[in-house]
């Protein structure tokens, strides 16, 4: 049995377990991610973030709760930045975090004890299809397909259908997305506000999503439905996005627990489906 030290954070109720990479030598990382993220037999989280110190900041590797690799999480990267500050691996106001989607720069906006607010440079989005008809759960939906460091499918609706979770689960694994996709259902409120619900690749429904909010807001701006800045209303509360030369997303990261996890292969959930 291996003991792994951890800190648990949430970024707008999108929760992550954060661990120093040096704690995971000789560990089967995908299996450990499924184990530690399990809601009943593990600590419970949407993802597991490993962090290594670098000369310019920190480097991360992110696993979804199903054990699959993820390029980036906007909320998770803020949590990694908060962890780096608390561990003395980086210093404010600017933190550099190297992700699988490239180097991301974060600016500390405020800190009150264990709660941080960061503005994060999300980079330049890449819109693949501004209007794409996708058939899900027996209905046709109007979606924007884009990449904001990870794949996004933003589905625009006047009213969110009751079976949106079924439709989102189908969209995540749609043949259009050979590597699966993050999915959001988006409703425009006014010229600077949207509502969004999220179904994340490898994690399922989440209370919020940083990259999902970015994808939803960018899609709405590109469709000329809203203008920057955009407030994204998530079930966990608002995130704020502005689009200048780059896209900047502002949101919280909060430390909620620290401890040690006893990794036991008997507690590792089996792989379900294609990860």
């Amino acid at each position: 049995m291996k003991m792994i030290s951890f800190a648990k954070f949430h970024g707008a109720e999108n929760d992550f377990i954060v661990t120093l990479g040096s704690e995971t030598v000789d560990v089967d990382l995908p299996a450990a991610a499924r184990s530690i993220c399990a809601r009943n037999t593990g600590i419970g989280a949407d993802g597991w973030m490993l962090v290594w110190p670098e000369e310019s900041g920190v480097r991360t590797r992110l696993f979804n709760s199903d054990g699959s690799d993820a390029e980036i999480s906007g909320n998770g990267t803020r949590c990694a930045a908060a962890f780096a500050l608390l561990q003395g691996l980086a210093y404010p106001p600017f933190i550099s975090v190297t992700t699988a989607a490239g180097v991301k720069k974060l600016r500390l906006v405020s800190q009150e004890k264990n709660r941080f607010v960061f503005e994060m440079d999300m980079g330049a989005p890449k819109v693949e299809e501004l209007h794409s008809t996708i058939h899900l759960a027996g209905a046709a939906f109007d979606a924007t397909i884009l990449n904001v460091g990870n794949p996004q499918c933003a589905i625009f609706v006047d009213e969110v259908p009751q079976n949106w979770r079924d439709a989102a689960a189908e969209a995540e694994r749609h043949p259009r997305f050979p590597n699966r996709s993050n999915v959001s259902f988006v409703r425009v409120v006014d010229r600077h506000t949207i509502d969004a619900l999220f179904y994340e690749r490898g994690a399922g429904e989440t209370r919020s999503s940083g990259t999902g909010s970015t994808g939803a807001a960018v899609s709405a701006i590109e469709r000329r439905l809203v203008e920057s800045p955009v407030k994204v209303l998530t079930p966990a509360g608002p995130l704020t996005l502005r689009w200048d030369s780059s896209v900047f997303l502002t949101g919280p990261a909060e430390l909620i627990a620290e401890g040690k996890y006893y990794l036991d292969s008997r507690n590792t959930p089996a792989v379900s489906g294609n990860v």
Side-chain angles (χ1 to χ4, degrees), residues 168-191:
E170 187 176 339
E172 180 202 10
R173 296 175 179 272
H174 193 276
R176 170 66 177 78
F177 311 114
N179 295 316
R180 300 191 292 169
S181 181
N182 299 281
V183 183
S184 59
F185 274 77
V186 185
R187 187 179 67 86
V188 175
V189 177
D190 60 39
R191 290 298 294 176

Side-chain angles (χ1 to χ4, degrees), residues 14-202:
N14 197 188
D15 56 342
F16 298 88
I17 296 158
V18 186
T19 303
L20 285 170
S22 57
E23 294 264 343
T24 62
V25 176
D26 298 326
V27 170
D28 180 338
L29 296 177
R34 294 193 299 273
S35 179
I36 200 168
C37 291
R39 293 289 178 182
N40 299 110
T41 58
I43 305 303
D46 293 322
W48 185 32
M49 182 84 71
L50 306 184
V51 176
W52 290 267
E54 288 193 325
E55 185 176 349
S56 59
V58 294
R59 173 173 60 88
T60 62
R61 184 176 180 186
L62 174 60
F63 290 90
N64 296 314
S65 58
D66 69 355
S68 58
D69 269 289
E71 299 91 343
I72 188 174
S73 162
N75 291 336
T77 302
R78 293 199 310 275
C79 292
F83 178 81
L85 292 178
L86 291 169
Q87 293 285 319
L89 304 177
Y91 301 94
F94 297 102
I95 300 97
S96 175
V97 180
T98 301
T99 75
V103 178
K104 301 301 176 183
K105 302 291 186 181
L106 295 91
R107 178 177 64 87
L108 179 64
V109 176
S110 65
Q111 177 184 356
E112 184 177 351
K113 297 182 180 178
N114 60 331
R115 188 180 189 276
F116 302 76
V117 174
F118 293 99
E119 182 184 70
M120 177 176 168
D121 185 347
M122 300 294 292
K126 298 178 181 178
V127 176
E128 298 175 12
E129 295 180 47
L130 188 59
H131 292 275
S132 178
T133 300
I134 184 168
H135 294 272
L136 307 166
F141 292 94
D142 180 22
T144 293
I145 311 302
L146 71 163
N147 193 295
V148 296
N150 60 18
Q152 297 287 331
C153 174
I155 298 171
F156 283 80
V157 293
D158 294 326
E159 295 293 336
V160 177
Q162 290 187 343
N163 67 339
W164 76 270
R165 294 174 183 85
D166 295 332
E170 187 176 339
E172 180 202 10
R173 296 175 179 272
H174 193 276
R176 170 66 177 78
F177 311 114
N179 295 316
R180 300 191 292 169
S181 181
N182 299 281
V183 183
S184 59
F185 274 77
V186 185
R187 187 179 67 86
V188 175
V189 177
D190 60 39
R191 290 298 294 176
H192 292 282
T193 312
I194 60 174
D195 264 325
L197 296 173
F198 307 100
Y199 194 96
E200 294 199 309
R201 179 184 58 170

